[in-house]
Amino acid sequence: MSRGTGRAAVDAEVAQEATYGSLPLLKQERSWSAGDFSWVTLSLAIATWAFLTGGSTVLLVGFTDGIAAMLIGNSIGLAIMVLGSVVLSQRLGVEQYRALKSVFGIVGVGIVVFVVVLLTEMGWTSLLGVMFGRAFSEISNQAFGTEFEQFGPLVTVFALVAIFVGWIILSRGPVTISKLNRFVAPGLLVVVALMMVLLMSNYSWGELLAAEPIAPFPDEQLNFMMAVEFNLGAGLSWWPVMGTLSRLTRGPRAAVWPAYAGILVGTVVAQLVGMAAGLLFGQADPTSWMVPLGGPILGVLTLLFVGFANVTSMASIAYSTVLAVKQSSGKALAKLRWPALAAAFLALPAILSFFPGFMYEQFMTFVVISGAFIAALCGVIIADYFILRRQVVPLRALYASGPDDPLRFTGGVNIAALASVAIASVFYLWVYNPITLDTQALFSFGTATVPAVLIAMVSHVILSHLLYVRRGRGAYGEPDLFAAAGRK
């Protein structure tokens, strides 16, 4: 290796550590404009899980009720998600799970990551891989006359291919993800618009409005509220990734509005198509109706493009999750290179891909259960950052360690925060149990998410005052020492 090549390799490694590590990014180091971030969020939102979410919604309700449930659920869920992730990370310029040390403590963040985040994102990543596999098995059946099973071995093979390609993209970092999404997002908008045109040219508006839900329960009000709750969970499901991605934006406006509006618009557009096609074809799975809708040529091309979009979405999800694992593992994974750590995470969804029918069959349950815990987490974060800290976090304390760490709380764990998450999550599952489908009266007009967020907020404020604030612990009320040092 020449001297110049060796220096370039060292410079690349330093740049990689700055990007993938936990150091705060200065304003001039942040590369994504509002437009860049909008393409990222649009591409994420229009990936085929939005079609699947739309199709799953009309299992319970018809088209008009589905639109209402989608708009109510996503608009509220995304607002909670943005306040609980994007604002904190973007303003500090710090990776989300490093910033959350101020909320949960360094050990507490590890508990959140390995108990909630890792399992949730492993599920979403495996789902995207299986959807990719379903798309390509359907392409084979349509183009070559094969008769591969809906969740047969070929689905697993293609899911593994998708995960491998996702690893290649992920290994190259967030800049590559952004560049790919500039191509993928506009293409997906065209695909979605084309599918809606095809639907409306083959079916009348009256047929769409008259179409019955695919598999509703007898109680219409319960069906509607369950659809709203499902879409609330879908909106909240962006929480594990959006804080870290927003860290790469140039300012608050470049982060908050693209994170909210970009995902909302993309989700609404794709879900509308998923709902309409699901009702008219009687299939919630988008890979089942794309070829019958678009024909053997256009349908196959659509599946190819949407399948590729799943891979870029997978890379975006894995990027934030791998960062979370890296930052929460302490010294255990500190020396492990980024590509190796990314491969270690993606190995978990790869294992799940050998059971391709599992995530599809449990999709709605998975979204709602993960939403229960994320709602509680967001409530605690909102209360901590906006109420207790009044949007001032001692930045240097995020990197302190040992007994002198002002964010040590109780042995590195903020008991008030984790207890509040547990209380709110249990309350959520009492109001609405997505496994048994048992509900309380509150669910019929208040959902389970909104009261759970409020309970998490109130509980955290009360417990924090009892355990930490009045005792001068937890760095509550301390000035932003980093900002103060910068003004000298």
Side-chain angles (χ1 to χ4, degrees):
M1 179 183 292
S2 67
R3 183 185 299 271
T5 304
R7 176 62 179 273
V10 171
D11 290 344
E13 183 69 19
V14 171
Q16 174 173 294
E17 286 303 314
T19 302
Y20 300 139
S22 62
L23 296 178
L25 293 179
L26 302 177
K27 185 175 181 179
Q28 61 269 26
E29 295 174 324
R30 307 182 192 190
S31 59
W32 287 358
S33 65
D36 292 331
F37 197 35
S38 294
W39 288 129
V40 171
T41 54
L42 276 170
S43 179
L44 284 169
I46 305 178
T48 49
W49 72 50
F51 298 122
L52 183 58
T53 303
S56 298
T57 297
V58 295
L59 289 171
L60 300 167
V61 293
F63 191 66
T64 53
D65 282 347
I67 292 175
M70 173 187 64
L71 291 175
I72 294 170
N74 278 286
S75 59
I76 296 174
L78 287 172
I80 295 170
M81 181 278 298
V82 168
L83 291 174
S85 63
V86 172
V87 178
L88 176 61
S89 291
Q90 201 290 322
R91 287 183 178 175
L92 296 180
V94 172
E95 184 271 330
Q96 176 169 322
Y97 299 96
R98 171 63 63 174
L100 289 182
K101 178 190 175 186
S102 65
V103 182
F104 298 102
I106 190 65
V107 177
V109 172
I111 294 172
V112 170
V113 167
F114 286 97
V115 173
V116 179
V117 176
L118 186 61
L119 294 178
T120 299
E121 298 310 276
M122 181 178 68
W124 279 109
T125 304
S126 66
L127 179 67
L128 287 171
V130 171
M131 294 174 87
F132 181 92
R134 284 279 297 118
F136 277 83
S137 64
E138 189 66 26
I139 289 172
S140 177
N141 289 343
Q142 295 294 330
F144 304 108
T146 57
E147 296 181 356
F148 290 111
E149 298 177 11
Q150 186 178 17
F151 297 110
L154 187 67
V155 173
T156 297
V157 171
F158 277 115
L160 294 174
V161 170
I163 290 171
F164 177 71
V165 176
W167 173 79
I168 294 175
I169 297 172
L170 178 62
S171 298
R172 297 178 179 273
V175 175
T176 300
I177 295 172
S178 176
K179 289 180 178 178
L180 288 173
N181 281 319
R182 290 181 188 179
F183 162 74
V184 171
L188 283 171
L189 286 172
V190 172
V191 166
V192 170
L194 180 60
M195 286 190 289
M196 198 64 189
V197 169
L198 288 172
L199 278 170
M200 291 297 96
S201 63
N202 292 320
Y203 299 91
S204 69
W205 186 252
E207 287 179 293
L208 179 58
L209 295 180
E212 295 292 331
I214 299 174
F217 295 101
D219 188 337
E220 291 185 5
Q221 177 64 18
L222 179 62
N223 285 327
F224 179 74
M225 292 308 298
M226 289 175 66
V228 170
E229 192 64 48
F230 172 60
N231 280 273
L232 274 164
L236 288 167
S237 68
W238 299 101
W239 177 81
V241 302
M242 293 310 298
T244 295
L245 292 177
S246 67
R247 168 185 179 246
L248 302 171
T249 59
R250 296 173 184 173
R253 291 183 180 178
V256 173
W257 291 112
Y260 183 83
I263 292 178
L264 183 62
V265 170
T267 299
V268 166
V269 170
Q271 277 193 238
L272 280 173
V273 175
M275 287 193 295
L279 284 170
L280 294 172
F281 285 91
Q283 295 283 344
D285 181 3
T287 62
S288 298
W289 50 255
M290 283 186 178
V291 172
L293 174 62
I297 297 177
L298 183 59
V300 167
L301 291 176
T302 301
L303 279 174
L304 280 170
F305 193 82
V306 172
F308 178 71
N310 274 356
V311 176
T312 60
S313 297
M314 181 190 300
S316 296
I317 288 175
Y319 168 70
S320 297
T321 309
V322 172
L323 268 179
V325 171
K326 184 178 179 66
Q327 299 304 327
S328 304
S329 59
K331 297 181 180 179
L333 301 176
K335 295 183 179 180
L336 194 63
R337 292 174 61 87
W338 178 262
L341 189 58
F345 166 72
L346 291 174
L348 301 174
I351 294 173
L352 275 181
S353 68
F354 285 91
F355 311 94
F358 176 75
M359 287 305 298
Y360 260 61
E361 294 168 358
Q362 305 298 328
F363 177 62
M364 292 188 72
T365 302
F366 165 71
V367 171
V368 174
I369 290 178
S370 60
F373 291 98
I374 293 174
L377 289 169
C378 286
V380 167
I381 295 165
I382 292 169
D384 194 272
Y385 182 63
F386 289 97
I387 298 175
L388 294 175
R389 297 195 186 278
R390 299 181 181 180
Q391 303 182 55
V392 177
V393 175
L395 190 54
R396 289 187 176 182
L398 298 178
Y399 301 90
S401 60
D404 295 329
D405 179 4
L407 296 175
R408 184 173 174 79
F409 297 105
T410 306
V413 176
N414 186 334
I415 296 176
L418 290 183
S420 298
V421 170
I423 292 169
S425 299
V426 170
F427 176 83
Y428 181 111
L429 296 175
W430 172 71
V431 172
Y432 174 43
N433 187 323
I435 298 176
T436 65
L437 302 181
D438 290 334
T439 61
Q440 303 300 320
L442 174 62
F443 180 75
S444 297
F445 60 89
T447 74
T449 294
V450 174
V453 171
L454 295 175
I455 285 176
M457 293 176 65
V458 172
S459 175
H460 182 56
V461 169
I462 293 173
L463 291 177
S464 293
H465 274 284
L466 292 175
L467 296 177
Y468 302 114
V469 176
R470 69 175 186 173
R471 299 182 182 183
R473 299 171 61 187
Y476 290 104
E478 288 192 12
D480 188 340
L481 301 178
F482 183 82
R487 288 193 294 268
K488 291 182 180 180

PDB file of all heavy atoms in Angstrom, residues 73-101:
ATOM      1  N   GLY A  73     -54.901   8.445  13.053  1.00  0.00           N
ATOM      2  CA  GLY A  73     -53.830   7.679  13.679  1.00  0.00           C
ATOM      3  C   GLY A  73     -52.451   8.176  13.327  1.00  0.00           C
ATOM      4  O   GLY A  73     -51.604   8.407  14.209  1.00  0.00           O
ATOM      5  N   ASN A  74     -52.177   8.367  12.030  1.00  0.00           N
ATOM      6  CA  ASN A  74     -50.835   8.776  11.619  1.00  0.00           C
ATOM      7  C   ASN A  74     -50.503  10.200  12.048  1.00  0.00           C
ATOM      8  O   ASN A  74     -49.369  10.472  12.452  1.00  0.00           O
ATOM      9  CB  ASN A  74     -50.691   8.637  10.102  1.00  0.00           C
ATOM     10  CG  ASN A  74     -50.378   7.220   9.675  1.00  0.00           C
ATOM     11  OD1 ASN A  74     -49.273   6.733   9.850  1.00  0.00           O
ATOM     12  ND2 ASN A  74     -51.372   6.541   9.127  1.00  0.00           N
ATOM     13  N   SER A  75     -51.469  11.123  11.953  1.00  0.00           N
ATOM     14  CA  SER A  75     -51.161  12.504  12.321  1.00  0.00           C
ATOM     15  C   SER A  75     -50.827  12.623  13.803  1.00  0.00           C
ATOM     16  O   SER A  75     -49.868  13.309  14.182  1.00  0.00           O
ATOM     17  CB  SER A  75     -52.331  13.421  11.955  1.00  0.00           C
ATOM     18  OG  SER A  75     -53.517  13.027  12.617  1.00  0.00           O
ATOM     19  N   ILE A  76     -51.572  11.939  14.661  1.00  0.00           N
ATOM     20  CA  ILE A  76     -51.296  11.986  16.101  1.00  0.00           C
ATOM     21  C   ILE A  76     -50.037  11.189  16.436  1.00  0.00           C
ATOM     22  O   ILE A  76     -49.165  11.648  17.182  1.00  0.00           O
ATOM     23  CB  ILE A  76     -52.497  11.462  16.904  1.00  0.00           C
ATOM     24  CG1 ILE A  76     -53.708  12.361  16.703  1.00  0.00           C
ATOM     25  CG2 ILE A  76     -52.151  11.371  18.398  1.00  0.00           C
ATOM     26  CD1 ILE A  76     -54.982  11.854  17.350  1.00  0.00           C
ATOM     27  N   GLY A  77     -49.923   9.988  15.883  1.00  0.00           N
ATOM     28  CA  GLY A  77     -48.764   9.155  16.165  1.00  0.00           C
ATOM     29  C   GLY A  77     -47.463   9.802  15.731  1.00  0.00           C
ATOM     30  O   GLY A  77     -46.454   9.757  16.449  1.00  0.00           O
ATOM     31  N   LEU A  78     -47.452  10.423  14.553  1.00  0.00           N
ATOM     32  CA  LEU A  78     -46.240  11.078  14.066  1.00  0.00           C
ATOM     33  C   LEU A  78     -45.886  12.302  14.907  1.00  0.00           C
ATOM     34  O   LEU A  78     -44.703  12.582  15.140  1.00  0.00           O
ATOM     35  CB  LEU A  78     -46.413  11.475  12.603  1.00  0.00           C
ATOM     36  CG  LEU A  78     -46.374  10.325  11.590  1.00  0.00           C
ATOM     37  CD1 LEU A  78     -46.751  10.816  10.202  1.00  0.00           C
ATOM     38  CD2 LEU A  78     -44.990   9.671  11.557  1.00  0.00           C
ATOM     39  N   ALA A  79     -46.891  13.044  15.363  1.00  0.00           N
ATOM     40  CA  ALA A  79     -46.608  14.206  16.210  1.00  0.00           C
ATOM     41  C   ALA A  79     -45.932  13.778  17.510  1.00  0.00           C
ATOM     42  O   ALA A  79     -44.953  14.395  17.950  1.00  0.00           O
ATOM     43  CB  ALA A  79     -47.908  14.956  16.504  1.00  0.00           C
ATOM     44  N   ILE A  80     -46.443  12.721  18.125  1.00  0.00           N
ATOM     45  CA  ILE A  80     -45.829  12.201  19.349  1.00  0.00           C
ATOM     46  C   ILE A  80     -44.417  11.726  19.066  1.00  0.00           C
ATOM     47  O   ILE A  80     -43.477  11.989  19.825  1.00  0.00           O
ATOM     48  CB  ILE A  80     -46.676  11.052  19.926  1.00  0.00           C
ATOM     49  CG1 ILE A  80     -48.049  11.577  20.369  1.00  0.00           C
ATOM     50  CG2 ILE A  80     -45.966  10.381  21.099  1.00  0.00           C
ATOM     51  CD1 ILE A  80     -49.039  10.476  20.719  1.00  0.00           C
ATOM     52  N   MET A  81     -44.243  11.027  17.939  1.00  0.00           N
ATOM     53  CA  MET A  81     -42.931  10.502  17.564  1.00  0.00           C
ATOM     54  C   MET A  81     -41.908  11.609  17.349  1.00  0.00           C
ATOM     55  O   MET A  81     -40.769  11.537  17.836  1.00  0.00           O
ATOM     56  CB  MET A  81     -43.063   9.652  16.303  1.00  0.00           C
ATOM     57  CG  MET A  81     -41.776   9.023  15.795  1.00  0.00           C
ATOM     58  SD  MET A  81     -40.719  10.105  14.784  1.00  0.00           S
ATOM     59  CE  MET A  81     -41.786  10.450  13.389  1.00  0.00           C
ATOM     60  N   VAL A  82     -42.288  12.666  16.633  1.00  0.00           N
ATOM     61  CA  VAL A  82     -41.364  13.766  16.348  1.00  0.00           C
ATOM     62  C   VAL A  82     -40.944  14.465  17.634  1.00  0.00           C
ATOM     63  O   VAL A  82     -39.764  14.758  17.852  1.00  0.00           O
ATOM     64  CB  VAL A  82     -42.012  14.764  15.368  1.00  0.00           C
ATOM     65  CG1 VAL A  82     -41.198  16.059  15.297  1.00  0.00           C
ATOM     66  CG2 VAL A  82     -42.124  14.149  13.976  1.00  0.00           C
ATOM     67  N   LEU A  83     -41.904  14.743  18.522  1.00  0.00           N
ATOM     68  CA  LEU A  83     -41.573  15.392  19.793  1.00  0.00           C
ATOM     69  C   LEU A  83     -40.714  14.500  20.674  1.00  0.00           C
ATOM     70  O   LEU A  83     -39.929  14.993  21.488  1.00  0.00           O
ATOM     71  CB  LEU A  83     -42.864  15.774  20.530  1.00  0.00           C
ATOM     72  CG  LEU A  83     -43.700  16.888  19.897  1.00  0.00           C
ATOM     73  CD1 LEU A  83     -45.008  17.055  20.652  1.00  0.00           C
ATOM     74  CD2 LEU A  83     -42.922  18.201  19.873  1.00  0.00           C
ATOM     75  N   GLY A  84     -40.853  13.182  20.518  1.00  0.00           N
ATOM     76  CA  GLY A  84     -40.107  12.250  21.358  1.00  0.00           C
ATOM     77  C   GLY A  84     -38.792  11.788  20.775  1.00  0.00           C
ATOM     78  O   GLY A  84     -38.117  10.953  21.394  1.00  0.00           O
ATOM     79  N   SER A  85     -38.392  12.313  19.612  1.00  0.00           N
ATOM     80  CA  SER A  85     -37.135  11.842  19.021  1.00  0.00           C
ATOM     81  C   SER A  85     -36.407  12.916  18.232  1.00  0.00           C
ATOM     82  O   SER A  85     -35.248  13.240  18.511  1.00  0.00           O
ATOM     83  CB  SER A  85     -37.395  10.632  18.114  1.00  0.00           C
ATOM     84  OG  SER A  85     -38.221  10.994  17.020  1.00  0.00           O
ATOM     85  N   VAL A  86     -37.072  13.512  17.258  1.00  0.00           N
ATOM     86  CA  VAL A  86     -36.402  14.386  16.296  1.00  0.00           C
ATOM     87  C   VAL A  86     -35.857  15.652  16.944  1.00  0.00           C
ATOM     88  O   VAL A  86     -34.702  16.035  16.726  1.00  0.00           O
ATOM     89  CB  VAL A  86     -37.372  14.754  15.148  1.00  0.00           C
ATOM     90  CG1 VAL A  86     -36.760  15.815  14.233  1.00  0.00           C
ATOM     91  CG2 VAL A  86     -37.717  13.507  14.339  1.00  0.00           C
ATOM     92  N   VAL A  87     -36.658  16.317  17.760  1.00  0.00           N
ATOM     93  CA  VAL A  87     -36.272  17.616  18.319  1.00  0.00           C
ATOM     94  C   VAL A  87     -35.012  17.492  19.172  1.00  0.00           C
ATOM     95  O   VAL A  87     -34.060  18.270  19.017  1.00  0.00           O
ATOM     96  CB  VAL A  87     -37.423  18.212  19.144  1.00  0.00           C
ATOM     97  CG1 VAL A  87     -36.997  19.543  19.776  1.00  0.00           C
ATOM     98  CG2 VAL A  87     -38.651  18.418  18.269  1.00  0.00           C
ATOM     99  N   LEU A  88     -34.975  16.530  20.057  1.00  0.00           N
ATOM    100  CA  LEU A  88     -33.849  16.366  20.981  1.00  0.00           C
ATOM    101  C   LEU A  88     -32.547  16.101  20.233  1.00  0.00           C
ATOM    102  O   LEU A  88     -31.539  16.791  20.440  1.00  0.00           O
ATOM    103  CB  LEU A  88     -34.149  15.230  21.961  1.00  0.00           C
ATOM    104  CG  LEU A  88     -33.024  14.853  22.936  1.00  0.00           C
ATOM    105  CD1 LEU A  88     -32.663  16.019  23.830  1.00  0.00           C
ATOM    106  CD2 LEU A  88     -33.450  13.652  23.777  1.00  0.00           C
ATOM    107  N   SER A  89     -32.544  15.119  19.345  1.00  0.00           N
ATOM    108  CA  SER A  89     -31.305  14.747  18.653  1.00  0.00           C
ATOM    109  C   SER A  89     -30.829  15.835  17.710  1.00  0.00           C
ATOM    110  O   SER A  89     -29.633  16.112  17.618  1.00  0.00           O
ATOM    111  CB  SER A  89     -31.521  13.444  17.868  1.00  0.00           C
ATOM    112  OG  SER A  89     -31.676  12.362  18.733  1.00  0.00           O
ATOM    113  N   GLN A  90     -31.754  16.468  16.992  1.00  0.00           N
ATOM    114  CA  GLN A  90     -31.338  17.475  16.018  1.00  0.00           C
ATOM    115  C   GLN A  90     -30.732  18.688  16.707  1.00  0.00           C
ATOM    116  O   GLN A  90     -29.708  19.214  16.281  1.00  0.00           O
ATOM    117  CB  GLN A  90     -32.540  17.885  15.155  1.00  0.00           C
ATOM    118  CG  GLN A  90     -32.170  18.512  13.814  1.00  0.00           C
ATOM    119  CD  GLN A  90     -31.567  19.897  13.947  1.00  0.00           C
ATOM    120  OE1 GLN A  90     -31.990  20.683  14.792  1.00  0.00           O
ATOM    121  NE2 GLN A  90     -30.577  20.203  13.125  1.00  0.00           N
ATOM    122  N   ARG A  91     -31.357  19.141  17.770  1.00  0.00           N
ATOM    123  CA  ARG A  91     -30.858  20.342  18.438  1.00  0.00           C
ATOM    124  C   ARG A  91     -29.488  20.113  19.071  1.00  0.00           C
ATOM    125  O   ARG A  91     -28.646  21.010  19.097  1.00  0.00           O
ATOM    126  CB  ARG A  91     -31.864  20.807  19.493  1.00  0.00           C
ATOM    127  CG  ARG A  91     -33.107  21.449  18.891  1.00  0.00           C
ATOM    128  CD  ARG A  91     -34.036  21.968  19.964  1.00  0.00           C
ATOM    129  NE  ARG A  91     -35.199  22.633  19.376  1.00  0.00           N
ATOM    130  CZ  ARG A  91     -36.212  23.103  20.074  1.00  0.00           C
ATOM    131  NH1 ARG A  91     -36.211  22.984  21.402  1.00  0.00           N
ATOM    132  NH2 ARG A  91     -37.229  23.686  19.467  1.00  0.00           N
ATOM    133  N   LEU A  92     -29.267  18.932  19.591  1.00  0.00           N
ATOM    134  CA  LEU A  92     -27.980  18.640  20.221  1.00  0.00           C
ATOM    135  C   LEU A  92     -26.929  18.220  19.200  1.00  0.00           C
ATOM    136  O   LEU A  92     -25.733  18.288  19.477  1.00  0.00           O
ATOM    137  CB  LEU A  92     -28.141  17.535  21.269  1.00  0.00           C
ATOM    138  CG  LEU A  92     -29.024  17.849  22.483  1.00  0.00           C
ATOM    139  CD1 LEU A  92     -29.072  16.647  23.409  1.00  0.00           C
ATOM    140  CD2 LEU A  92     -28.511  19.071  23.226  1.00  0.00           C
ATOM    141  N   GLY A  93     -27.377  17.758  18.021  1.00  0.00           N
ATOM    142  CA  GLY A  93     -26.429  17.233  17.034  1.00  0.00           C
ATOM    143  C   GLY A  93     -25.825  15.925  17.484  1.00  0.00           C
ATOM    144  O   GLY A  93     -24.728  15.555  17.072  1.00  0.00           O
ATOM    145  N   VAL A  94     -26.558  15.201  18.325  1.00  0.00           N
ATOM    146  CA  VAL A  94     -26.062  13.973  18.944  1.00  0.00           C
ATOM    147  C   VAL A  94     -26.945  12.804  18.531  1.00  0.00           C
ATOM    148  O   VAL A  94     -28.164  12.953  18.395  1.00  0.00           O
ATOM    149  CB  VAL A  94     -26.046  14.114  20.484  1.00  0.00           C
ATOM    150  CG1 VAL A  94     -25.719  12.795  21.162  1.00  0.00           C
ATOM    151  CG2 VAL A  94     -25.043  15.174  20.900  1.00  0.00           C
ATOM    152  N   GLU A  95     -26.317  11.667  18.321  1.00  0.00           N
ATOM    153  CA  GLU A  95     -27.060  10.466  17.972  1.00  0.00           C
ATOM    154  C   GLU A  95     -28.120  10.197  19.049  1.00  0.00           C
ATOM    155  O   GLU A  95     -27.893  10.410  20.230  1.00  0.00           O
ATOM    156  CB  GLU A  95     -26.060   9.305  17.846  1.00  0.00           C
ATOM    157  CG  GLU A  95     -26.641   7.999  17.405  1.00  0.00           C
ATOM    158  CD  GLU A  95     -27.128   7.167  18.567  1.00  0.00           C
ATOM    159  OE1 GLU A  95     -26.565   7.267  19.675  1.00  0.00           O
ATOM    160  OE2 GLU A  95     -28.089   6.420  18.366  1.00  0.00           O
ATOM    161  N   GLN A  96     -29.279   9.735  18.630  1.00  0.00           N
ATOM    162  CA  GLN A  96     -30.452   9.668  19.494  1.00  0.00           C
ATOM    163  C   GLN A  96     -30.211   8.947  20.813  1.00  0.00           C
ATOM    164  O   GLN A  96     -30.627   9.419  21.875  1.00  0.00           O
ATOM    165  CB  GLN A  96     -31.599   8.980  18.746  1.00  0.00           C
ATOM    166  CG  GLN A  96     -32.855   8.760  19.586  1.00  0.00           C
ATOM    167  CD  GLN A  96     -34.042   8.339  18.753  1.00  0.00           C
ATOM    168  OE1 GLN A  96     -34.232   8.816  17.652  1.00  0.00           O
ATOM    169  NE2 GLN A  96     -34.849   7.434  19.279  1.00  0.00           N
ATOM    170  N   TYR A  97     -29.534   7.837  20.768  1.00  0.00           N
ATOM    171  CA  TYR A  97     -29.408   7.033  21.980  1.00  0.00           C
ATOM    172  C   TYR A  97     -28.310   7.543  22.899  1.00  0.00           C
ATOM    173  O   TYR A  97     -28.281   7.195  24.075  1.00  0.00           O
ATOM    174  CB  TYR A  97     -29.223   5.565  21.603  1.00  0.00           C
ATOM    175  CG  TYR A  97     -30.426   5.073  20.835  1.00  0.00           C
ATOM    176  CD1 TYR A  97     -30.445   5.049  19.446  1.00  0.00           C
ATOM    177  CD2 TYR A  97     -31.593   4.723  21.507  1.00  0.00           C
ATOM    178  CE1 TYR A  97     -31.577   4.647  18.745  1.00  0.00           C
ATOM    179  CE2 TYR A  97     -32.726   4.330  20.822  1.00  0.00           C
ATOM    180  CZ  TYR A  97     -32.713   4.298  19.441  1.00  0.00           C
ATOM    181  OH  TYR A  97     -33.841   3.927  18.756  1.00  0.00           O
ATOM    182  N   ARG A  98     -27.428   8.388  22.387  1.00  0.00           N
ATOM    183  CA  ARG A  98     -26.523   9.110  23.272  1.00  0.00           C
ATOM    184  C   ARG A  98     -27.297  10.228  23.966  1.00  0.00           C
ATOM    185  O   ARG A  98     -27.150  10.450  25.171  1.00  0.00           O
ATOM    186  CB  ARG A  98     -25.353   9.688  22.471  1.00  0.00           C
ATOM    187  CG  ARG A  98     -24.445  10.642  23.250  1.00  0.00           C
ATOM    188  CD  ARG A  98     -23.745   9.974  24.407  1.00  0.00           C
ATOM    189  NE  ARG A  98     -22.844   8.920  23.967  1.00  0.00           N
ATOM    190  CZ  ARG A  98     -22.035   8.253  24.773  1.00  0.00           C
ATOM    191  NH1 ARG A  98     -22.016   8.531  26.067  1.00  0.00           N
ATOM    192  NH2 ARG A  98     -21.264   7.294  24.301  1.00  0.00           N
ATOM    193  N   ALA A  99     -28.141  10.931  23.226  1.00  0.00           N
ATOM    194  CA  ALA A  99     -28.945  12.007  23.813  1.00  0.00           C
ATOM    195  C   ALA A  99     -29.871  11.476  24.894  1.00  0.00           C
ATOM    196  O   ALA A  99     -30.149  12.157  25.891  1.00  0.00           O
ATOM    197  CB  ALA A  99     -29.744  12.711  22.721  1.00  0.00           C
ATOM    198  N   LEU A 100     -30.362  10.248  24.723  1.00  0.00           N
ATOM    199  CA  LEU A 100     -31.309   9.687  25.681  1.00  0.00           C
ATOM    200  C   LEU A 100     -30.666   9.303  27.011  1.00  0.00           C
ATOM    201  O   LEU A 100     -31.362   8.922  27.947  1.00  0.00           O
ATOM    202  CB  LEU A 100     -32.007   8.472  25.076  1.00  0.00           C
ATOM    203  CG  LEU A 100     -33.004   8.773  23.958  1.00  0.00           C
ATOM    204  CD1 LEU A 100     -33.664   7.496  23.471  1.00  0.00           C
ATOM    205  CD2 LEU A 100     -34.062   9.769  24.427  1.00  0.00           C
ATOM    206  N   LYS A 101     -29.351   9.445  27.104  1.00  0.00           N
ATOM    207  CA  LYS A 101     -28.719   9.257  28.413  1.00  0.00           C
ATOM    208  C   LYS A 101     -29.280  10.268  29.405  1.00  0.00           C
ATOM    209  O   LYS A 101     -29.403   9.979  30.598  1.00  0.00           O
ATOM    210  CB  LYS A 101     -27.198   9.426  28.293  1.00  0.00           C
ATOM    211  CG  LYS A 101     -26.479   9.282  29.635  1.00  0.00           C
ATOM    212  CD  LYS A 101     -25.016   9.682  29.548  1.00  0.00           C
ATOM    213  CE  LYS A 101     -24.365   9.654  30.929  1.00  0.00           C
ATOM    214  NZ  LYS A 101     -22.971  10.166  30.922  1.00  0.00           N
TER     215      LYS A 101
END
